[in-house]
Short mmCIF file of all heavy atoms in Angstrom, two decimals:
data_model
loop_
_atom_site.label_atom_id
_atom_site.label_comp_id
_atom_site.label_asym_id
_atom_site.label_seq_id
_atom_site.Cartn_x
_atom_site.Cartn_y
_atom_site.Cartn_z
N ILE A 386 20.21 3.34 -6.29
CA ILE A 386 19.23 3.20 -7.38
C ILE A 386 18.85 4.58 -7.91
O ILE A 386 18.78 4.79 -9.13
CB ILE A 386 17.99 2.44 -6.88
CG1 ILE A 386 18.34 1.01 -6.50
CG2 ILE A 386 16.88 2.45 -7.95
CD1 ILE A 386 17.26 0.30 -5.68
N ALA A 387 18.61 5.52 -6.99
CA ALA A 387 18.23 6.87 -7.39
C ALA A 387 19.32 7.53 -8.23
O ALA A 387 19.02 8.33 -9.13
CB ALA A 387 17.91 7.71 -6.17
N ARG A 388 20.56 7.19 -7.95
CA ARG A 388 21.69 7.78 -8.70
C ARG A 388 21.97 7.02 -9.99
O ARG A 388 22.93 7.34 -10.70
CB ARG A 388 22.95 7.78 -7.83
CG ARG A 388 22.84 8.72 -6.64
CD ARG A 388 24.17 8.83 -5.92
NE ARG A 388 24.05 9.63 -4.71
CZ ARG A 388 25.08 9.98 -3.95
NH1 ARG A 388 26.30 9.59 -4.27
NH2 ARG A 388 24.89 10.70 -2.86
N ARG A 389 21.17 5.99 -10.26
CA ARG A 389 21.35 5.17 -11.47
C ARG A 389 22.76 4.61 -11.53
O ARG A 389 23.45 4.65 -12.56
CB ARG A 389 21.02 5.97 -12.73
CG ARG A 389 19.62 6.58 -12.67
CD ARG A 389 19.32 7.43 -13.89
NE ARG A 389 18.06 8.15 -13.69
CZ ARG A 389 17.02 8.08 -14.50
NH1 ARG A 389 17.05 7.32 -15.57
NH2 ARG A 389 15.93 8.78 -14.26
N ALA A 390 23.19 4.06 -10.41
CA ALA A 390 24.57 3.59 -10.25
C ALA A 390 24.80 2.24 -10.94
O ALA A 390 23.88 1.44 -11.11
CB ALA A 390 24.91 3.47 -8.77
N TYR A 391 26.07 2.01 -11.31
CA TYR A 391 26.52 0.75 -11.90
C TYR A 391 27.59 0.15 -10.99
O TYR A 391 28.78 0.14 -11.33
CB TYR A 391 27.09 0.98 -13.30
CG TYR A 391 26.07 1.37 -14.33
CD1 TYR A 391 25.58 2.67 -14.40
CD2 TYR A 391 25.59 0.44 -15.25
CE1 TYR A 391 24.65 3.04 -15.37
CE2 TYR A 391 24.65 0.79 -16.21
CZ TYR A 391 24.18 2.10 -16.26
OH TYR A 391 23.25 2.45 -17.21
N PRO A 392 27.21 -0.33 -9.82
CA PRO A 392 28.22 -0.83 -8.87
C PRO A 392 28.84 -2.15 -9.34
O PRO A 392 28.21 -2.94 -10.05
CB PRO A 392 27.42 -1.02 -7.58
CG PRO A 392 26.01 -1.22 -8.04
CD PRO A 392 25.85 -0.42 -9.27
N ASP A 393 30.04 -2.37 -8.91
CA ASP A 393 30.73 -3.63 -9.20
C ASP A 393 29.99 -4.76 -8.47
O ASP A 393 29.84 -4.71 -7.25
CB ASP A 393 32.18 -3.54 -8.71
CG ASP A 393 33.01 -4.76 -9.07
OD1 ASP A 393 32.45 -5.87 -9.16
OD2 ASP A 393 34.23 -4.60 -9.25
N PRO A 394 29.52 -5.80 -9.18
CA PRO A 394 28.80 -6.89 -8.52
C PRO A 394 29.60 -7.53 -7.38
O PRO A 394 29.02 -7.93 -6.37
CB PRO A 394 28.55 -7.88 -9.65
CG PRO A 394 28.52 -7.04 -10.89
CD PRO A 394 29.54 -5.96 -10.65
N ALA A 395 30.90 -7.61 -7.55
CA ALA A 395 31.73 -8.21 -6.50
C ALA A 395 31.69 -7.35 -5.23
O ALA A 395 31.71 -7.88 -4.11
CB ALA A 395 33.17 -8.37 -6.98
N HIS A 396 31.63 -6.05 -5.40
CA HIS A 396 31.55 -5.16 -4.24
C HIS A 396 30.18 -5.26 -3.56
O HIS A 396 30.07 -5.15 -2.34
CB HIS A 396 31.83 -3.72 -4.66
CG HIS A 396 33.23 -3.48 -5.09
ND1 HIS A 396 33.65 -2.30 -5.67
CD2 HIS A 396 34.34 -4.28 -5.03
CE1 HIS A 396 34.95 -2.38 -5.95
NE2 HIS A 396 35.38 -3.58 -5.56
N LEU A 397 29.14 -5.46 -4.35
CA LEU A 397 27.80 -5.64 -3.77
C LEU A 397 27.74 -6.92 -2.93
O LEU A 397 27.10 -6.95 -1.88
CB LEU A 397 26.74 -5.71 -4.87
CG LEU A 397 26.45 -4.42 -5.63
CD1 LEU A 397 25.46 -4.69 -6.76
CD2 LEU A 397 25.91 -3.34 -4.70
N ALA A 398 28.41 -7.95 -3.39
CA ALA A 398 28.36 -9.24 -2.69
C ALA A 398 29.23 -9.26 -1.44
O ALA A 398 28.96 -10.02 -0.51
CB ALA A 398 28.78 -10.36 -3.64
N ALA A 399 30.26 -8.44 -1.41
CA ALA A 399 31.23 -8.49 -0.32
C ALA A 399 30.71 -7.72 0.90
O ALA A 399 30.65 -6.49 0.89
CB ALA A 399 32.56 -7.90 -0.78
N SER A 400 30.38 -8.44 1.96
CA SER A 400 29.80 -7.81 3.14
C SER A 400 30.79 -6.93 3.88
O SER A 400 30.40 -6.09 4.71
CB SER A 400 29.24 -8.87 4.09
OG SER A 400 30.26 -9.79 4.45
N ASP A 401 32.11 -7.09 3.59
CA ASP A 401 33.11 -6.25 4.25
C ASP A 401 33.32 -4.91 3.54
O ASP A 401 34.05 -4.06 4.02
CB ASP A 401 34.44 -7.00 4.37
CG ASP A 401 35.00 -7.41 3.02
OD1 ASP A 401 34.19 -7.63 2.09
OD2 ASP A 401 36.23 -7.53 2.89
N ILE A 402 32.68 -4.74 2.39
CA ILE A 402 32.74 -3.46 1.67
C ILE A 402 31.45 -2.71 1.93
O ILE A 402 30.36 -3.17 1.57
CB ILE A 402 32.95 -3.67 0.16
CG1 ILE A 402 34.29 -4.35 -0.11
CG2 ILE A 402 32.86 -2.33 -0.59
CD1 ILE A 402 34.55 -4.64 -1.58
N LYS A 403 31.55 -1.60 2.59
CA LYS A 403 30.36 -0.86 2.99
C LYS A 403 29.66 -0.24 1.77
O LYS A 403 30.31 0.31 0.88
CB LYS A 403 30.72 0.23 3.99
CG LYS A 403 31.24 -0.30 5.31
CD LYS A 403 31.47 0.82 6.30
CE LYS A 403 32.02 0.27 7.63
NZ LYS A 403 31.05 -0.63 8.27
N LEU A 404 28.35 -0.35 1.77
CA LEU A 404 27.58 0.25 0.67
C LEU A 404 27.78 1.76 0.60
O LEU A 404 27.72 2.36 -0.46
CB LEU A 404 26.09 -0.07 0.83
CG LEU A 404 25.67 -1.53 0.62
CD1 LEU A 404 24.16 -1.66 0.77
CD2 LEU A 404 26.13 -2.05 -0.73
N LYS A 405 28.03 2.35 1.77
CA LYS A 405 28.25 3.80 1.80
C LYS A 405 29.46 4.18 0.95
O LYS A 405 29.50 5.26 0.33
CB LYS A 405 28.43 4.27 3.23
CG LYS A 405 28.28 5.76 3.43
CD LYS A 405 28.22 6.12 4.91
CE LYS A 405 27.99 7.62 5.09
NZ LYS A 405 27.89 7.98 6.52
N SER A 406 30.46 3.30 0.90
CA SER A 406 31.64 3.60 0.09
C SER A 406 31.31 3.55 -1.40
O SER A 406 31.92 4.24 -2.20
CB SER A 406 32.76 2.60 0.41
OG SER A 406 32.43 1.29 -0.05
N LEU A 407 30.32 2.72 -1.78
CA LEU A 407 29.91 2.66 -3.18
C LEU A 407 29.19 3.95 -3.57
O LEU A 407 29.30 4.41 -4.70
CB LEU A 407 29.00 1.46 -3.42
CG LEU A 407 29.56 0.08 -3.06
CD1 LEU A 407 28.60 -1.02 -3.48
CD2 LEU A 407 30.93 -0.12 -3.70
#
Side-chain angles (χ1 to χ4, degrees):
I386 295 166
R388 293 188 185 185
R389 305 177 189 236
Y391 290 79
D393 185 329
H396 292 171
L397 290 176
S400 57
D401 59 332
I402 297 178
K403 295 185 181 297
L404 291 182
K405 196 170 183 178
S406 69
L407 303 186

